[in-house]
Amino acid sequence: MVGHAEQVVTGDAVVLDVQIAQLPVRALSALIDIAVIFVGYIAGVMLWATTLDRFDSALSGAVLVIFTVLTMVGYPLIFESATRGRTLGKMALGLRVVSDDGGPERFRQALFRALASVIEIWTFFGGPAVICSLLSSKGKRIGDVFAGTVVISERGPKLPPPPVMPPSLAWWASSLQLSGLGPEQAELARQFLSRASQLDPRIREQMAHRIAGDVVARVSPPPPPSVPPQYVLAAVLAERHRRELERLRPAPAEPPPPPPSWGAPPQWAPAPAQGAPAPQSWSPPPPVAPPPDGGGFAPPG
């Protein structure tokens, strides 16, 4: 029931201590969660019983049904959403729910798992969950299958850190197309680099050329000529790890748009004092046309 790291995490972001959780550990974690839910439910029922003589029996029954559903669904939903994939039982045993690609569990996935648990765990006492986990290579129950999640153990054996990027190959690694490189090849290269110092020099050289040739055939563009194969492998794995961390890192919030620029404010004349007459604008009188010759007014002689 224990899977490999490359079956869970896309890329080499092995900061997630990935190991598929075994069924007995998951069952014990579920029992702890059930005990917590049971204690909380009993406390809620006792509180509900004190209100029986205050409300209508139909209303009290409806409240009890709603409280029961919210207890079974709300507990895993709230905890897994707030703690990114952990409940109290999972915290106690070092388990976590993650997406199939190794990313953190999302709210929609937690909701699918919580709703499915009502049927496969509470209604049928966990029977469908156990059968599905035994048939799945990743130990998935029905809720995990529909939600696209898997439960991993964070207390598994820690993998060594990813290799350091060779400075002379950083420019080449940044332009790599890594979609053709599968997790199996990446894991083989990682294991080789972590154990290269323990190998015989001649065997190490042969394995380095063979593994690097397989990796180079799956990426593009090809590395610069005359580069040692171990440097090529280190550059590919370091770049793969960097991109995976970028993918898992939440996107930064976009800054708000700048306020519109209206230019300089207009200069308004000061308001007149209270009780003072409002100033009036003056304009010159219109010009008077001269009278025509032989007409108009003439003073007496």
Side-chain angles (χ1 to χ4, degrees):
M1 293 301 295
V2 178
H4 300 287
E6 67 273 16
Q7 293 179 329
V8 179
V9 175
T10 300
D12 240 14
V14 292
V15 290
L16 302 171
D17 298 331
V18 288
Q19 178 183 353
I20 302 298
Q22 298 182 1
L23 180 58
V25 180
R26 291 188 62 179
L28 183 57
S29 169
L31 290 177
I32 296 176
D33 290 330
I34 290 174
V36 172
I37 294 174
F38 183 76
V39 171
Y41 182 74
I42 292 299
V45 169
M46 293 177 63
L47 181 62
W48 167 81
T50 61
T51 64
L52 286 177
D53 55 349
R54 301 181 184 179
F55 300 101
D56 181 71
S57 58
L59 178 60
S60 298
V63 170
L64 180 61
V65 172
I66 295 175
F67 175 72
T68 302
V69 174
L70 290 180
T71 302
M72 293 187 297
V73 176
Y75 168 80
L77 177 61
I78 293 174
F79 268 91
E80 291 185 7
S81 300
T83 62
R84 306 188 68 164
R86 296 191 297 174
T87 58
L88 294 179
K90 292 180 176 63
M91 291 180 189
L93 297 178
L95 305 181
R96 183 187 293 273
V97 182
V98 298
S99 300
D100 281 338
D101 60 357
E105 183 189 24
R106 295 179 285 274
F107 177 82
R108 174 184 58 82
Q109 294 172 317
L111 179 60
F112 269 106
R113 299 184 79 255
L115 292 176
S117 67
V118 176
I119 304 299
E120 60 177 326
I121 295 179
W122 295 103
T123 304
F124 295 100
F125 305 101
V130 173
I131 295 175
C132 186
S133 298
L134 292 174
L135 296 178
S136 172
S137 60
K138 295 182 179 180
K140 290 188 174 189
R141 64 177 178 87
I142 298 177
D144 292 317
V145 174
F146 285 102
T149 55
V150 64
V151 180
I152 64 172
S153 175
E154 296 183 309
R155 297 177 183 174
K158 294 185 178 295
L159 298 175
V164 179
M165 171 68 71
S168 59
L169 294 179
W171 63 273
W172 169 71
S174 62
S175 64
L176 283 175
Q177 295 290 336
L178 299 176
S179 57
L181 183 62
E184 296 82 7
Q185 293 78 28
E187 177 66 14
L188 180 61
R190 185 192 63 79
Q191 291 182 3
F192 167 74
L193 291 179
S194 64
R195 302 172 183 173
S197 59
Q198 306 172 6
L199 301 176
D200 179 78
R202 186 178 60 181
I203 298 178
R204 180 174 63 236
E205 194 71 16
Q206 294 175 356
M207 292 184 63
H209 282 87
R210 180 174 58 83
I211 297 174
D214 186 25
V215 170
V216 168
R218 300 172 183 271
V219 301
S220 63
S226 304
V227 177
Q230 59 268 27
Y231 283 83
V232 174
L233 295 177
V236 171
L237 294 184
E239 178 65 18
R240 198 165 186 262
H241 177 73
R242 184 191 68 81
R243 295 184 187 182
E244 181 65 17
L245 290 183
E246 287 292 334
R247 187 187 66 81
L248 296 179
R249 187 176 297 118
E254 296 184 0
S261 176
W262 301 105
Q267 301 297 327
W268 304 103
Q274 187 175 5
Q280 300 180 356
S281 59
W282 178 88
S283 59
V288 179
D293 295 340
F297 172 79

